[in-house]
Amino acid sequence: MADHKRKVSLTSISDEEQQPSLNITHGTAVALVKRPKTDEIQKYGSTALVQAGPKRTSGLQAPIMHLTGHKGEVTSCRFSDTGEHIASGSADKQVFLWNTYGECANYGVLQGHKGGILEVQWMPGSERVITASTDHTVAMWDAMTGERLRRGKHHTAPVNSCCPLSKSAGDDNMFVSASDDGQLVIWDARERNPAAVIEHSQPLTSVVAAVSGNVVYAGSLDNTITGWDVRTQSAVQTLRGHSGTVVGLAMSPKTGNYLASTSLDNTVRLWDLRPYCRLPNRCERVYTGAPHGYEMNLVRPAFDKDESMVASGGADRTLTIWNLRSGEVKYKLPGHKGCVTQVDFHPKEPIVLSGSVDKAMFLGEL
């Protein structure tokens, strides 16, 4: 399959399998535009509380935090369900675990994959992490100890994406993976073999599960998004409209009514998944302003917690955030030195996270 989704540099670690580890840290965080939230000063003999610059909106140590340490491109980064921690995956074959607040300490490293990490996701409960890799495997990790709990070896090609199957139900055992081999594989961490295997006719680049956990949506090289019923393993819906490969998917977290997709056609689309949608092709809105470049990376979108904004990175080295309903660009955030591959919103505060091929991440408050 074409290498449009990963220009990975795998020279930083040997090809020999490494044992999982949580006691080695390599990352650092720098506070940019650092200033206190408020200053108390004496003026004309009285105490006046004045703002030191714009009003702060989050609990971050500074309005912008710069996280570095990966030796390869940052391909995926996510907040935990609590918002207290961050997991980042990279072409350097490692997953870094970070604290969101304070100095954003890199408190752990997960090692064991033989290839670059293409996606990292937190399981419900924020105690387990799953990863998809170019080494044809998926893995589940204990984020507290660093132990690898499960290694799935069914795929015959790079695994581009993974996601929890039933996040809303709190199930931290079931997850799904999508691969260049055209297979969607459903895993149960308690079982040795896959729980189910669904065959697609084209390589799969991305996967996300419906809130119910009964349907999974997969983006493909054929420019479509297919919804599969995991109980019958049959296709129940096909979303058409993109004119390029679908490279990223996100499910709206509050209602599960909407799906966002990024594509190599330089658009982000919003799909209405409600049963009685009046739109013939279910595409409610098309967002523009986040272009793809010659690298053709996997770029994944995100919804904010209130489903009022949708965001995506781009090859223009910026993070673009749109008003979900109007399509208006609310923020165009610079800072990265390469294509922005991943965006994620904090589950509780107005904070956005971005990762890039420049090997770094930014945390910023909105």
Side-chain angles (χ1 to χ4, degrees), residues 1-8 73-76 91 116-119 133-134 157-161 178-182 202-206 219-221 245-248 264 292-300 339 341 357:
M1 211 289 264
D3 292 332
H4 69 274
K5 62 190 91 34
R6 49 185 176 277
K7 298 293 182 179
V8 293
E73 302 170 1
V74 176
T75 54
S76 183
I117 309 297
L118 293 180
E119 185 158 28
S133 172
T134 60
V159 184
N160 296 313
S161 184
S179 166
D180 275 354
D181 61 15
Q202 295 288 329
L204 300 174
T205 59
S206 49
S220 173
L221 204 67
T245 299
V246 178
V247 293
L264 295 183
H292 285 262
Y294 68 92
E295 295 172 301
M296 296 185 289
N297 291 293
L298 289 175
V299 176
R300 297 184 173 91
C339 176
T341 55
V357 299

Side-chain angles (χ1 to χ4, degrees), residues 90-104:
S90 168
D92 63 13
K93 312 175 190 177
Q94 300 180 101
V95 173
F96 282 10
L97 302 176
W98 312 75
N99 289 326
T100 302
Y101 299 107
E103 297 286 344
C104 295

Side-chain angles (χ1 to χ4, degrees), residues 291-352:
H292 285 262
Y294 68 92
E295 295 172 301
M296 296 185 289
N297 291 293
L298 289 175
V299 176
R300 297 184 173 91
F303 289 93
D304 74 321
K305 61 183 176 65
D306 298 322
E307 298 181 6
S308 63
M309 296 182 288
V310 63
S312 175
D316 59 358
R317 305 179 183 182
T318 67
L319 159 62
T320 306
I321 302 176
W322 297 270
N323 179 294
L324 185 135
R325 294 299 179 189
S326 70
E328 175 189 3
V329 174
K330 295 191 66 174
Y331 302 96
K332 189 76 170 175
L333 306 178
H336 282 291
K337 298 177 181 179
C339 176
V340 178
T341 55
Q342 174 81 68
V343 181
D344 198 21
F345 286 96
H346 193 279
K348 298 179 181 179
E349 292 197 279
I351 302 172
V352 67

Side-chain angles (χ1 to χ4, degrees), residues 1 6 133-138 152-160 177-185 187 194 197 199 203:
M1 211 289 264
R6 49 185 176 277
S133 172
T134 60
D135 65 8
H136 304 186
T137 70
V138 289
K153 299 177 68 175
H154 179 84
H155 288 292
T156 59
V159 184
N160 296 313
S177 59
S179 166
D180 275 354
D181 61 15
Q183 293 185 338
L184 277 174
V185 179
W187 304 89
V197 178
E199 298 279 353

Side-chain angles (χ1 to χ4, degrees), residues 116-250:
I117 309 297
L118 293 180
E119 185 158 28
V120 59
Q121 291 262 20
W122 290 88
M123 294 295 284
S126 301
E127 294 184 356
R128 293 179 174 183
V129 170
I130 54 175
T131 51
S133 172
T134 60
D135 65 8
H136 304 186
T137 70
V138 289
M140 175 181 281
W141 312 79
D142 187 319
M144 310 299 292
T145 66
E147 177 187 4
R148 188 172 61 202
L149 305 174
R150 180 78 165 81
R151 187 185 184 199
K153 299 177 68 175
H154 179 84
H155 288 292
T156 59
V159 184
N160 296 313
S161 184
C162 60
C163 72
L165 181 60
S166 189
K167 201 164 188 176
S168 62
D171 189 336
D172 64 352
N173 287 304
M174 303 291 292
F175 60 101
V176 189
S177 59
S179 166
D180 275 354
D181 61 15
Q183 293 185 338
L184 277 174
V185 179
I186 300 171
W187 304 89
D188 187 333
R190 298 160 296 191
E191 303 293 335
R192 179 180 179 85
N193 297 316
V197 178
I198 299 172
E199 298 279 353
H200 189 71
S201 59
Q202 295 288 329
L204 300 174
T205 59
S206 49
V207 64
V208 68
V211 171
S212 66
N214 294 328
V215 178
V216 293
Y217 293 88
S220 173
L221 204 67
D222 61 10
N223 307 346
T224 67
I225 304 164
T226 304
W228 299 85
D229 190 314
V230 299
R231 298 161 297 184
T232 63
Q233 300 174 34
S234 60
V236 294
Q237 193 173 66
T238 301
L239 303 176
R240 295 182 173 90
H242 281 298
S243 59
T245 299
V246 178
V247 293
L249 296 173

